[in-house]
Amino acid sequence: MADAKIYTASTTAPVNIAVIKYWGKRDTKLNLPTNSSLSVTLSQDDLRTHTTAACSSQFSADSLILNGEPQDVSGARQQACFRELRSLRAALEAADPSLPKLSTLPLKIVSENNFPTAAGLASSAAGFAALVRAIADLYQLPQSPTELSRIARQGSGSACRSLFGGYVSWEQGEAANGSDSLALEVAPASHWPQMRAAILVVSAAKKGVSSTSGMQATVATSALFPHRANVVVPERMVQMKQAIRDRDFETFADLTMRDSNQFHAVCLDTSPPIFYMNDVSRAAIRVVEEINRLAGKRVAAYTFDAGPNAVVYYLDENEDLVLGSLKGGLKGVPGWRASVTAEGVQGLDQGLLEPLKEGITRVILTSVGSGPVSVQESLVGADGAVVRK
Ligand code: DP6
């Protein structure tokens, strides 16, 4: 009798926020970057994608359901991930004929984010990391997270960094086939567990330029961009790794803010220019710069991706100073901790907080966290149907 069994494996995967930004591809098909990048993985207690990968002869074709909505799987990115993972499984099956031929069965991938997609947080990194990890677990692949990062990268560049927890680099590599363009763990979360992140979600009136098309435009038109990719980022990668090894927040913060600002500078230098930050984002920059000036040292660092949301990194020991200072602008916003009663830095001009009150719709208070975790809870039932939470 034919094997009609439903095979499943489930995982959760984290979001990561870069402190040295990936912006620019040297190969759009393989998603090979023009420069290395480095990120902090955020805790899955607050932000995570839960994915079940299932395969069975009962399924008619490959499918993907995200937050209850069927998605198109015919795109090159999805197809590359499915193809590469299947070929690793097929190699195992060829070496051991007793293994079930999972590589030949249609896949059903079911995925749920625990954060609102409307928040505009980059979910593709957690999404592709969870997809690759879940299928690798389903296929019982022996490959390491670094080896799997080569596959996740082809789904979305930043996804390769979400296969690890803690502090993660994506080394750009040199090979034309991308074999050395991989994610590496710089340090686990336990090395520097005091790192915190406050995500200030800013409402965006309209959807901006996607990262994929924005970075292509920058590579094609910005005169400043080659200097960033070839000169500035390689130096910063070395300095940032050292700052993380030394748990040197002042250097970490300086590099993080400079790199975010330079990424947005090359966006402005793109023709036509790309604006990801808005007035609320710029107000957040002013507040953080002022908190640091009044504190007499860098206690907070802002960074912005391809949208207006601010991510503010700080250390646990400075929580009162940083959150106490931001309190006036964030009180009453969903996600804010009412228990923050500290006064923050002395002498902060409260007027600087006014634009935050107007423009921030939600706060997510989180911290550095771990990489993908294998879980029991399955989003595909024993009958092969989707389980809604
Ligand atoms: C600004 O990884 O979303 O967040 O590879 O085209 O899917 P694709 O791009 P994506 O770009 C992320 C850009 C960034 C910086 C970063 O995360 O390093």
Side-chain angles (χ1 to χ4, degrees), residues 39-81:
S39 56
V40 179
T41 295
L42 300 183
S43 171
Q44 296 181 59
D45 293 347
D46 305 297
L47 301 165
R48 71 173 173 276
T49 299
H50 177 186
T51 296
T52 296
C55 63
S56 173
S57 61
Q58 292 187 39
F59 302 150
S60 51
D62 290 344
S63 63
L64 168 65
I65 295 146
L66 172 61
N67 295 328
E69 300 287 329
Q71 310 287 313
D72 179 20
V73 289
S74 65
R77 291 164 173 235
Q78 300 287 350
Q79 288 296 318
C81 292

Side-chain angles (χ1 to χ4, degrees), residues 16 18 20-23 25 31 37 77 124 155-159 161 211-212 215 263 305-306:
N16 72 76
I20 303 289
K21 304 293 187 192
Y22 150 50
W23 195 252
K25 300 175 203 270
N31 256 353
S37 56
R77 291 164 173 235
S124 69
S156 180
S158 54
R161 299 184 310 237
S211 321
T212 307
M215 64 177 86
F263 153 48
D305 281 340

Side-chain angles (χ1 to χ4, degrees), residues 165-182:
Y167 304 84
V168 188
S169 69
W170 171 13
E171 304 297 333
Q172 65 184 88
E174 287 170 4
N177 69 0
S179 58
D180 56 355
S181 186
L182 304 163

Side-chain angles (χ1 to χ4, degrees), residues 260-331:
S260 174
N261 290 335
Q262 189 178 73
F263 153 48
H264 292 279
V266 298
C267 289
L268 187 62
D269 190 47
T270 300
S271 180
I274 306 169
F275 310 102
Y276 286 124
M277 294 194 288
N278 63 19
D279 287 347
V280 182
S281 318
R282 285 184 283 274
I285 291 182
R286 271 183 223 111
V287 172
V288 170
E289 293 280 358
E290 191 62 0
I291 291 172
N292 287 339
R293 191 182 69 80
L294 292 166
K297 61 177 185 179
R298 289 179 208 100
V299 292
Y302 52 78
T303 185
F304 298 81
D305 281 340
N309 297 339
V311 177
V312 179
Y313 285 114
Y314 60 92
L315 292 180
D316 186 33
E317 67 195 36
N318 292 319
E319 180 148 303
D320 278 357
L321 215 50
V322 177
L323 295 189
S325 302
L326 292 172
K327 183 180 66 177
L330 302 177
K331 240 187 285 183

Side-chain angles (χ1 to χ4, degrees), residues 183-258:
L184 298 176
E185 181 188 81
V186 174
S190 59
H191 167 75
W192 203 7
Q194 297 84 358
M195 188 66 74
R196 300 287 174 268
I199 306 176
L200 316 184
V201 179
V202 176
S203 56
K206 61 178 171 66
K207 191 155 168 32
V209 180
S210 78
S211 321
T212 307
S213 57
M215 64 177 86
Q216 286 297 99
T218 301
V219 172
T221 64
S222 167
L224 296 182
F225 176 74
H227 180 67
R228 165 172 171 73
N230 301 329
V231 180
V232 180
V233 172
E235 287 169 7
R236 284 188 183 156
M237 284 296 292
V238 175
Q239 293 162 349
M240 186 58 99
K241 286 177 189 172
Q242 195 57 45
I244 290 166
R245 282 189 204 107
D246 296 344
R247 301 184 191 88
D248 170 0
F249 188 82
E250 287 233 42
T251 305
F252 171 92
D254 185 39
L255 292 167
T256 296
M257 294 186 284
R258 285 178 192 276

